[in-house]
């Protein structure tokens, strides 16, 4: 089945130790998104890629970076995780930029920072 | 913040009852979407309602939209224990490179047997 896959499902890192979260999709969608969702809160968009074009949200901290080496894969890099970065990180895709497209979400990676 | 508000924050009902969740938003919209999230999982798209629509049905789901009041509601009829989840409304803004979702605060629905 076509889907959005995130690895790992659970990630534990130490304060200040870089960490990379992975997302892959078999939908061949043009747009990939990364969201941060803290406990009992709504998902918040960090950035997105339209094909190879990276688009950062204005309030996304510099600590967060992303890479999209090809259509299928997208990575979220957290350069120096702080305790406040502990959250669920959700990857999503959409076919294109039309507002009438739904987004397809992966199961998420829960990040714990010790 | 452009985030919408949802109420109630939490709702507990018995199986077979109807569940109604309300969403208010702040900006003009092209459309509004509802998503469901099971605990600790990703979100699943439920239904989309366009700004020129007032009501839409999908199975046991009924969504209304009142653009003059900037509000929407999601009704789940004849609820089941498997409907237990968090439900989020999301307003959609297309930038040309993405369709950006701004989620409401969510309603946690608990359906008991």
């Amino acid at each position: 089945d076509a889907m959005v896959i995130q690895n790992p499902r659970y990630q534990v890192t130490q304060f200040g130790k870089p960490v990379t979260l992975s997302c892959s999709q078999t939908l061949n969608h043009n747009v990939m998104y990364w969201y941060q969702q803290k406990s009992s809160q709504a998902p918040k968009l960090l950035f997105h890629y339209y094909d190879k074009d990276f688009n950062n949200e204005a309030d996304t901290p510099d600590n967060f970076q992303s890479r999209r080496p090809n259509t299928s894969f997208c990575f979220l890099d957290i350069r120096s995780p702080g305790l406040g970065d502990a959250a669920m990180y959700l990857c999503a895709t959409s076919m294109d930029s039309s507002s009438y497209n739904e987004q397809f979400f992966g199961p998420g990676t829960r990040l714990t920072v010790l | 913040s452009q985030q919408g508000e949802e109420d109630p924050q939490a709702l507990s009902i018995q199986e077979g009852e109807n569940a109604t969740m309300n969403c208010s938003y702040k900006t003009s919209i092209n459309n509004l979407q509802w998503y469901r999230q099971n605990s600790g999982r990703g979100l699943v798209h439920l239904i989309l309602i366009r700004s020129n629509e007032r009501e839409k049905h999908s199975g046991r789901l009924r969504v209304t939209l009142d653009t003059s009041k900037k509000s929407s509601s999601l009704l789940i009829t004849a609820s089941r224990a498997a409907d237990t989840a968090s439900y989020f409304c999301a307003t959609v803004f297309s930038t040309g490179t993405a369709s950006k979702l701004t989620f409401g605060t969510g309603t946690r629905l608990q359906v008991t047997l």
Side-chain angles (χ1 to χ4, degrees):
Chain A
D1 288 341
M3 56 176 32
V4 181
I5 302 161
Q6 290 188 245
N7 286 304
R9 293 293 313 282
Y10 300 91
Q11 176 73 58
V12 180
T13 191
Q14 291 181 330
F15 183 94
K17 185 175 181 180
V19 66
T20 295
L21 309 182
S22 170
C23 176
S24 64
Q25 54 128 343
T26 60
L27 298 160
N28 204 34
H29 282 174
N30 284 327
V31 191
M32 296 186 77
Y33 309 80
W34 279 104
Y35 292 85
Q36 178 192 63
Q37 186 179 24
K38 295 189 176 181
S39 182
S40 299
Q41 295 185 20
K44 180 178 178 299
L45 181 64
L46 294 173
F47 27 59
H48 74 274
Y49 272 94
Y50 183 91
D51 195 14
K52 295 181 180 179
D53 294 331
F54 176 72
N55 297 270
N56 204 27
E57 292 301 296
D59 56 356
T60 298
D62 292 340
N63 200 24
F64 292 87
Q65 305 283 321
S66 185
R67 295 170 284 134
R68 188 179 186 185
N70 53 54
T71 301
S72 301
F73 284 87
C74 195
F75 300 99
L76 170 62
D77 301 308
I78 308 176
R79 292 192 297 185
S80 181
L83 297 178
D85 297 326
M88 175 78 88
Y89 290 88
L90 297 165
C91 174
T93 71
S94 67
M95 187 187 308
D96 54 37
S97 62
S98 168
S99 64
Y100 299 101
N101 288 330
E102 65 182 273
Q103 290 189 16
F104 293 81
F105 283 79
T109 294
R110 184 168 297 283
L111 177 68
T112 300
V113 182
L114 301 176
Chain B
S1 169
Q2 296 303 305
Q3 187 177 61
E5 299 288 327
E6 289 186 57
D7 79 272
Q9 286 189 324
L11 180 61
S12 183
I13 60 173
Q14 290 192 320
E15 201 171 49
E17 294 180 335
N18 296 342
T20 299
M21 290 157 263
N22 302 296
C23 164
S24 62
Y25 57 91
K26 299 177 182 179
T27 62
S28 297
I29 58 170
N30 292 330
N31 66 79
L32 184 143
Q33 302 181 20
W34 284 87
Y35 285 79
R36 165 196 167 121
Q37 184 178 34
N38 284 46
S39 179
R41 305 287 298 183
L43 285 83
V44 176
H45 180 264
L46 294 176
I47 195 166
L48 178 155
I49 186 165
R50 296 174 182 240
S51 59
N52 61 354
E53 296 177 314
R54 292 296 167 259
E55 188 171 312
K56 197 164 183 180
H57 297 252
S58 177
R60 292 185 297 113
L61 304 180
R62 173 178 166 254
V63 170
T64 64
L65 179 65
D66 186 336
T67 52
S68 66
K69 295 181 179 178
K70 290 187 167 57
S71 67
S72 175
S73 68
L74 171 67
L75 168 67
I76 304 174
T77 60
S79 64
R80 305 166 181 168
D83 295 329
T84 296
S86 291
Y87 292 82
F88 293 92
C89 68
T91 55
V92 186
F93 174 66
S94 180
T95 67
T97 63
S99 60
K100 293 190 178 182
L101 299 178
T102 301
F103 288 94
T105 50
T107 294
R108 292 188 308 279
L109 174 65
Q110 176 76 42
V111 182
T112 56
L113 294 172

